[in-house]
Amino acid sequence: MSPPFGWWDKKAHRGTPVIVKMENPNWSISEISSPDDEDEYGIGAGEEFAAAGRGPGKGARVKNAKQITWVLLLKAHRAAGCLTFLASAAVGLASAVRRRVASGRTDSDTTSSSDEESPVLRSRFYSCIKAFLWISVLMLCFEIAAYLKGWHLTAWEMQPLVLPSSFGVRGFLKALYAGWVSFRVEYVAPPLQFLADACVILFLIQSADRLILCLGCFWIRFKGIKPTPKGAIGASKDLESGGEDYPMVLVQMPMCNEKEVYQQSIAAVCNLDWPRSNILIQVLDDSDDPTTQTLIKEEVEKWQQNGARILYRHRVIRDGYKAGNLKSAMNCSYVKDYEFVAIFDADFQPAPDFLKLTVPHFKDNDELGLVQARWSFVNKDENLLTRLQNINLCFHFEVEQQVNGVFINFFGFNGTAGVWRIKALEDAGGWLERTTVEDMDIAVRAHLKGWKFVYLNDVECQCELPECYEAYRKQQHRWHSGPMQLFRLCLPDIIRSKIGFWKKSNLIFLFFLLRKLILPFYSFTLFCIILPLTMFVPEAELPAWVVCYIPATMSFLNILPAPRSFPFIVPYLLFENTMSVTKFNAMISGLFQLGSAYEWVVTKKSGRSSEGDLISLMKKEPMQQRGASVPNFEVIAKEEPRPQKVSKKKHNRIYRKELALAFLLLTASARSLLSAQGIHFYFLLFQGISFLLVGLDLIGEQID
C-alpha cells in the first residue's frame, strides 16, 4: 500500500515496503519503493536487498530493525526446511532399508537354485544380524562408560590387577576392564601390530608398482610409442589389392543363454570388412534353453541366406564351459585351412575395420602370437556401478595392458576382442578346462613357449558392463579365483621353462603374487579388519598417511585414464575397499581349491548395446539383411509346446559378509570419536556406510 500524503506519514513509514515470497525451502525478498523514496535514497524500485554486507554510503540504504528481523526469520525458516528435508530423507532411507531387509534374499548358495528362500535360513540369518548388532552396541556402550569413568588405561599406566575389596558392580566392571586391557596389551596388540606393519609394507610395494606403471604410461604418451606392423606399407597395399592377398581368418563367437545380445553381435561380425571367401564365422552356442537355441539358429540361417559364411554349432555335452566350447570348435577338420582366429564374446560388437587394424601386425612377425584390442563400453554412464567399473577397466587397458605390451611383450589375454595365430594356440597346448580363466591360462602357456603379444590401445571393441551388483560380484569372483588356481598349476612350469630370469620373475612376483594375490589380501586385511580393530586395541596403531594420503594418491592415479570420472574418486576408493571382501574370498577359494573356485556363472547382459550400434549397421545392410535379425516365430510355434515360464519379479539380495563388516566399521567409527582420531573416524564412517549400501544391494540395478 502507498503511504498517505503528509510529511508526518512519510516519517512514520521510513522503512521500505517489501514483498516476501516463501517457498519451502527457498525464499526471496524484493523492495518496492515510491518515487519519493527514490529521490530520498537514490535507489530504484524493485531492487533486491537480500545481498547483505553493503555498508551505508552513496547509493546505499540503511536497514532498519524490522528488515533485519525479517531476514533472520526467513533464514531460520530456510534452515528449518533443510532440517525437515534431511529428516524426511533419513526416514525414507530407513524405510527403504527395512523393505530391502524384509523382501531381500541372502547370498547363500543353498538358495541359488530355488525361487523362494527357506524361512528357517531367513530367521537364522536375521537372528545373527541382530545378535551381532546388539553385541557391537553393548561393546560400544561399555567403552563409552569406561571412557567417561576415566578407565582409558594405557600400557605404561597399567598396574597389577587387584581384586576390589567390595564386590560391587562398579568395582567388578573396573576389574573386568583392567583385565581386558592387560590381555590386549600382552596378547592382542603385538600380533595385530605385526600384521599391520606387514600389510603396510605390502601396501607400499604395490603402490610403487602402480606408480611405475603410471610413469610407463606417461612415457608412452610423451614419446608417442605405438605398435606398428612390420612393413606396414606393404601390408596396407596387400589388403587393398584383392581378396587373394587376405589371410584366412576364423571368427569364433562363444555364447550361452544370452538372448539379449546375440542379434547385434552376429550382425556386427557378419559386417566385418573382409573378403567372404577368406573368413568363416563359428557361432558356438552352449545354451541349454531351447527357445534361445532356436532364436540363435534362426539368426545364423538368415545370415547364411544373405551370403555370409557362418556356421551354427551346439554342444550336447557342455563340459569345460567356455574353454571346452572353444576346444571343441578348434577340433573341426576345416580349422587347418585358417591361419588366424578372432574371438568375440556374445556382447562384443567389433567395428567393420577390426580385422584390417589387427591382422596386419602378424605380417613378417613370426614370433607374434596375439593381438589384443581395447574394450569400450556402451553403458558406462548407466548408473554408479557402471561408472566405477569403467574407472577400473580404463586403468587396466590404458595402463597395465599397454605398458606390459610395450615394454615386456606380454600381458593377460582378455578372452575376447583379440586375434590369435592358430599355430601359437596349438604350440601352447590348446584350450584347457582346468581353471575358470582359460584366457589367462593360454596366454601364460604361450608366453612360456616364447610367443610375443601386441596390445593396440587405439583399436576398440564395444561391449557392455554388468549393471547389477549380483552379476558384477559373480564376475569378479571368477576373475580373482581363477588366477590363483592357475598360479598353483603353472608355478612348476614357470620354474622349468627356458625363458629368461627376468621374465620368470615378472610372471611369479608381479603378474601373479603382487597383482593377483597381495592386492586383494592387503586391501581387505588392512582397511576392513586391522583398521577397525585398532580402534578397540589402541596399542596397535596405523599412521594417518596409511589411512588417508596413500589411498587417495593411488585412487588419483587409478582415475587418471578416465579424467571425466574425477567427481567419483571418493566413491571409487570406498567401493574398491568394499569389493575387497569378494576378491579376498575368491583369492582364498582359488588358492586352496575350495568349492566356489570352480563356480562359473555367465555374466548377465541387458542388451543395451543394441540401442546404438545397430543403427549404423542397418544403414550399411541391404533391405533383405535388415529383416534377418527378426526371428521366425512361426517355426518356433510349430515345435513341441513347452511350459511357459512365469516372469520373475526383480528382487534384492542381502550380502551377509558386507553387512557384518558394515556393523564392525560403524561401531569402530563411533569408538574412534572417543580417541579423537579425526581421519580414522571419517574413513571408518564412510567406509561403513558403503558396506551397508552394498550389503543391502542398494547399488546398481535390481536383478530378475
Side-chain angles (χ1 to χ4, degrees):
M1 295 178 57
S2 301
F5 295 102
W7 60 269
W8 56 88
D9 291 321
K10 191 177 294 185
K11 286 184 179 181
H13 295 274
R14 290 292 298 234
T16 304
V18 297
I19 293 178
V20 180
K21 294 181 180 180
M22 301 177 63
E23 297 179 0
N24 188 20
N26 299 319
W27 56 272
S28 61
I29 305 176
S30 300
E31 295 182 354
I32 301 178
S33 303
S34 64
D36 295 335
D37 294 332
E38 291 183 14
D39 296 338
E40 183 175 354
Y41 297 111
I43 297 180
E47 180 182 357
E48 295 187 359
F49 74 97
R54 185 178 60 184
K58 185 177 180 180
R61 186 194 310 275
V62 179
K63 306 295 186 298
N64 58 20
K66 184 179 294 186
Q67 292 173 341
I68 296 175
T69 303
W70 270 106
V71 171
L72 295 178
L73 288 175
L74 291 172
K75 287 186 176 181
H77 173 76
R78 185 176 184 182
C82 293
L83 292 176
T84 305
F85 172 76
L86 293 176
S88 61
V91 172
L93 179 61
S95 61
V97 169
R98 182 181 58 81
R99 289 194 301 269
R100 291 288 174 107
V101 172
S103 61
R105 301 180 183 178
T106 64
D107 55 345
S108 174
D109 294 334
T110 59
T111 62
S112 59
S113 60
S114 61
D115 294 336
E116 298 296 334
E117 186 179 9
S118 171
V120 177
L121 178 64
R122 178 186 291 272
S123 61
R124 290 178 181 174
F125 168 60
Y126 292 128
S127 299
C128 292
I129 289 181
K130 292 178 181 178
F132 187 87
L133 178 60
W134 279 111
I135 291 174
S136 302
V137 172
L138 290 176
M139 289 180 62
L140 179 61
C141 293
F142 189 76
E143 291 283 347
I144 293 174
Y147 177 80
L148 296 177
K149 294 295 183 179
W151 297 347
H152 39 285
L153 306 177
T154 57
W156 56 86
E157 294 174 347
M158 284 299 301
Q159 301 293 332
L161 181 61
V162 179
L163 291 177
S165 56
S166 60
F167 291 92
V169 176
R170 181 176 180 183
F172 174 76
L173 292 178
K174 185 173 182 179
L176 182 64
Y177 185 76
W180 156 243
V181 174
S182 300
F183 177 79
R184 82 185 186 196
V185 169
E186 190 72 22
Y187 300 104
V188 179
L192 185 62
Q193 186 66 57
F194 174 79
L195 185 60
D197 295 339
C199 288
V200 169
I201 294 174
L202 296 177
F203 184 28
L204 293 177
I205 294 174
Q206 196 273 334
S207 300
D209 173 66
R210 190 63 53 93
L211 180 60
I212 292 172
L213 287 174
C214 291
L215 292 176
C217 181
F218 173 77
W219 182 258
I220 291 173
R221 286 196 173 189
F222 179 72
K223 290 293 185 179
I225 301 175
K226 180 181 177 182
T228 55
K230 291 185 178 180
I233 297 177
S236 177
K237 290 181 179 179
D238 291 340
L239 289 175
E240 298 295 337
S241 60
E244 65 277 3
D245 297 324
Y246 288 77
M248 301 292 288
V249 178
L250 178 68
V251 179
Q252 294 180 335
M253 301 182 63
M255 57 181 64
C256 180
N257 295 328
E258 294 170 295
K259 60 183 178 181
E260 297 86 3
V261 293
Y262 74 93
Q263 289 181 334
Q264 59 265 27
S265 299
I266 293 176
V269 171
C270 290
N271 279 277
L272 286 172
D273 192 6
W274 204 258
R276 293 190 175 183
S277 59
N278 292 23
I279 187 174
L280 177 65
I281 302 169
Q282 290 180 318
V283 178
L284 311 177
D285 183 23
D286 257 7
S287 303
D288 55 5
D289 177 30
T291 302
T292 304
Q293 295 176 20
T294 304
L295 291 174
I296 297 176
K297 190 175 181 180
E298 287 281 338
E299 185 75 10
V300 171
E301 290 175 352
K302 291 185 177 181
W303 279 100
Q304 287 175 344
Q305 295 173 5
N306 287 282
R309 296 191 67 212
I310 183 171
L311 300 175
Y312 176 83
R313 283 179 54 86
H314 180 266
R315 293 193 303 162
V316 178
I317 302 176
R318 301 171 56 240
D319 292 336
Y321 301 108
K322 181 180 176 181
N325 198 0
L326 294 172
K327 181 179 179 179
S328 174
M330 294 299 295
N331 289 331
C332 297
S333 59
Y334 52 80
V335 174
K336 64 179 184 297
D337 299 329
Y338 294 85
E339 187 177 359
F340 306 104
V341 55
I343 303 174
F344 301 100
D345 282 350
D347 60 321
F348 279 73
Q349 296 91 43
D353 60 348
F354 181 87
L355 293 179
K356 287 188 174 182
L357 296 175
T358 54
V359 174
H361 287 267
F362 291 97
K363 186 176 179 61
D364 299 329
N365 192 357
D366 295 335
E367 296 181 346
L368 183 61
L370 168 67
V371 174
Q372 173 72 60
R374 178 177 179 166
W375 298 0
S376 60
F377 310 104
V378 297
N379 62 337
K380 61 183 179 180
D381 297 325
E382 185 63 29
N383 54 43
L384 179 60
L385 180 62
T386 58
R387 292 177 185 272
L388 300 179
Q389 292 179 68
N390 179 61
I391 295 174
N392 251 346
L393 291 172
C394 280
F395 182 87
H396 170 71
F397 286 106
E398 183 84 15
V399 180
E400 289 182 343
Q401 298 290 77
Q402 185 172 209
V403 171
N404 291 330
V406 169
F407 295 104
I408 307 178
N409 294 123
F410 166 73
F411 47 83
F413 175 46
N414 294 116
T416 178
V419 182
W420 276 94
R421 189 189 297 271
I422 295 181
K423 183 180 178 181
L425 289 178
E426 295 174 347
D427 186 35
W431 298 101
L432 299 179
E433 307 97 324
R434 56 182 182 173
T435 69
T436 57
V437 283
E438 73 292 328
D439 46 6
M440 186 182 295
D441 187 4
I442 192 68
V444 171
R445 287 186 280 117
H447 180 59
L448 295 179
K449 292 292 185 178
W451 293 96
K452 295 182 178 180
F453 302 163
V454 165
Y455 173 73
L456 303 179
N457 190 58
D458 56 343
V459 180
E460 298 183 358
C461 188
Q462 287 193 341
C463 62
E464 67 173 84
L465 295 164
E467 297 179 6
C468 68
Y469 178 71
E470 174 71 12
Y472 179 64
R473 188 170 181 261
K474 295 292 185 182
Q475 181 196 71
Q476 292 300 304
H477 187 278
R478 187 176 77 248
W479 286 4
H480 286 82
S481 64
M484 291 298 97
Q485 302 174 35
L486 183 61
F487 179 65
R488 287 170 54 98
L489 297 171
C490 283
L491 183 58
D493 296 333
I494 296 174
I495 296 175
R496 293 193 301 261
S497 65
K498 298 180 180 180
I499 61 176
F501 172 77
W502 292 111
K503 290 185 177 181
K504 290 183 180 180
S505 301
N506 172 69
L507 269 178
I508 295 174
F509 296 106
L510 292 181
F511 186 76
F512 279 113
L513 290 181
L514 185 60
R515 297 168 188 166
K516 303 298 187 298
L517 188 147
I518 291 177
L519 178 58
F521 171 77
Y522 88 77
S523 297
F524 171 74
T525 307
L526 188 63
F527 296 110
C528 301
I529 301 298
I530 296 177
L531 179 58
L533 288 182
T534 55
M535 298 298 102
F536 298 99
V537 186
E539 292 77 17
E541 297 180 352
L542 277 180
W545 58 270
V546 175
V547 178
C548 181
Y549 307 123
I550 297 296
T553 304
M554 291 302 102
S555 299
F556 177 79
L557 293 177
N558 282 8
I559 213 168
L560 279 179
R564 294 181 58 187
S565 301
F566 268 103
F568 302 95
I569 186 170
V570 174
Y572 170 73
L573 172 62
L574 299 174
F575 183 70
E576 280 301 293
N577 290 335
T578 305
M579 282 303 301
S580 65
V581 180
T582 299
K583 296 176 181 179
F584 178 81
N585 182 42
M587 183 265 294
I588 293 296
S589 64
L591 191 62
F592 296 101
Q593 299 294 295
L594 303 180
S596 60
Y598 298 96
E599 181 185 27
W600 182 285
V601 179
V602 178
T603 304
K604 179 69 175 177
K605 312 296 192 310
S606 62
R608 295 191 185 276
S609 51
S610 62
E611 296 175 0
D613 299 331
L614 284 182
I615 297 177
S616 59
L617 291 176
M618 290 176 65
K619 294 179 180 179
K620 299 180 181 180
E621 296 173 10
M623 290 300 294
Q624 66 269 20
Q625 286 187 349
R626 293 187 188 181
S629 62
V630 181
N632 189 351
F633 291 101
E634 296 180 358
V635 177
I636 300 175
K638 293 179 181 179
E639 295 185 355
E640 297 181 0
R642 292 180 295 271
Q644 296 183 353
K645 294 184 178 180
V646 180
S647 59
K648 298 181 180 180
K649 296 182 179 180
K650 293 185 176 181
H651 64 275
N652 301 94
R653 289 194 178 274
I654 306 298
Y655 301 101
R656 296 174 291 179
K657 298 182 184 69
E658 285 79 358
L659 280 182
L661 285 170
F663 293 140
L664 175 62
L665 290 165
L666 292 175
T667 306
S669 67
R671 177 63 179 86
S672 67
L673 284 176
L674 305 180
S675 55
Q677 297 183 4
I679 294 178
H680 296 72
F681 165 72
Y682 290 113
F683 184 88
L684 289 167
L685 176 63
F686 290 113
Q687 190 65 69
I689 293 175
S690 66
F691 267 101
L692 185 64
L693 295 177
V694 172
L696 295 173
D697 198 9
L698 292 172
I699 183 172
E701 301 292 335
Q702 293 180 332
I703 63 173
D704 294 332

